[in-house]
């Protein structure tokens, strides 16, 4: 008679069929644990590189996308794609602005949530900087108004 336990092994839908004997069940669970440890370590190493500023780090080599590991790998890589795109766009826009060129905007396509909000803020600030630069240029070009002292000495 088999008793029910509270432990339910993960689905084997994309793996081989579940083992039949207790010994082979233990071996399968040990193999699955080793797989989780391997990919958890791989992800931890990638996170360390990312925290160190390497936004080009990606986790490659895990093919299944519908299991727990695949969801984590895909999720982390997707997060990196969005973060990398935002940083590159913001950097390019601000670099142009620092040289007095205000035409470059952060591209909003594909940026969700806070990334999009920050991009809109950068674009709005760039537009304001462009207006201020034009106003300053006009002020320099205007002749002195009557009643103002001539600045040239």
């Amino acid at each position: 008679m088999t008793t029910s336990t509270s432990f339910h092994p993960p689905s084997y839908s994309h793996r081989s069929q579940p083992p039949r004997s207790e010994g082979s069940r233990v071996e399968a669970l040990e193999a699955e644990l080793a797989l989780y440890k391997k990919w958890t370590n791989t992800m931890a190493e990638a996170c360390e590189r990312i925290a160190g500023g390497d936004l080009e780090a990606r986790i490659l080599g895990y093919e299944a996308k519908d299991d727990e590991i695949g969801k984590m790998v895909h999720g982390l890589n997707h997060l990196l794609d969005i973060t990398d795109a935002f940083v590159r766009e913001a950097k390019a826009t601000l670099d142009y602005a620092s040289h007095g060129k205000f035409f470059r905007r952060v591209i909003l396509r594909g940026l969700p949530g806070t990334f999009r909000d920050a991009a809109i803020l950068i674009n709005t600030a760039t537009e304001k900087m462009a207006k201020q630069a034009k106003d300053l240029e006009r002020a320099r070009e205007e002749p002195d108004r009557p009643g103002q002292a001539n600045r040239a000495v």
Side-chain angles (χ1 to χ4, degrees), residues 144 148-153:
D144 288 333
Q148 287 184 325
N150 190 344
R151 293 183 195 154
V153 178

Side-chain angles (χ1 to χ4, degrees), residues 4 21 25 31 38 49 53 55 63 66 72 75 81 90 107 111 117 131 134-135 138 144:
S4 172
S21 72
R25 180 172 183 246
K38 173 190 174 199
R49 287 179 52 200
L55 296 182
E63 300 303 324
D66 59 343
M72 287 190 298
D81 290 341
I107 297 172
L111 295 178
D117 295 343
K131 183 184 180 319
K134 284 180 186 176
D135 291 347
R138 266 184 266 157
D144 288 333

Side-chain angles (χ1 to χ4, degrees), residues 10-108:
S11 168
Y12 290 90
S13 61
H14 67 280
R15 300 182 192 127
S16 61
Q17 291 298 314
R20 295 185 190 271
S21 72
E22 192 63 29
S24 60
R25 180 172 183 246
V26 169
E27 288 173 10
L29 291 173
E30 287 174 345
E32 188 168 16
L33 178 60
L35 181 70
Y36 278 98
K37 283 183 176 183
K38 173 190 174 199
W39 286 101
T40 302
N41 287 334
T42 299
M43 290 182 57
E45 290 169 7
C47 287
E48 288 295 321
R49 287 179 52 200
I50 296 160
D54 181 3
L55 296 182
E56 294 180 11
R58 297 295 185 276
I59 300 171
L60 306 174
Y62 196 82
E63 300 303 324
K65 293 182 181 177
D66 59 343
D67 67 358
E68 296 84 1
I69 296 170
K71 289 175 184 175
M72 287 190 298
V73 167
H74 175 73
L76 183 59
N77 285 340
H78 184 62
L79 172 62
L80 279 168
D81 290 341
I82 293 168
T83 303
D84 188 39
F86 173 77
V87 169
R88 287 176 192 267
E89 284 294 314
K91 183 179 172 183
T93 300
L94 295 173
D95 183 48
Y96 274 95
S98 74
H99 292 93
K101 298 176 182 176
F102 303 105
F103 64 88
R104 178 70 162 80
R105 299 290 186 267
V106 177
I107 297 172
L108 302 177

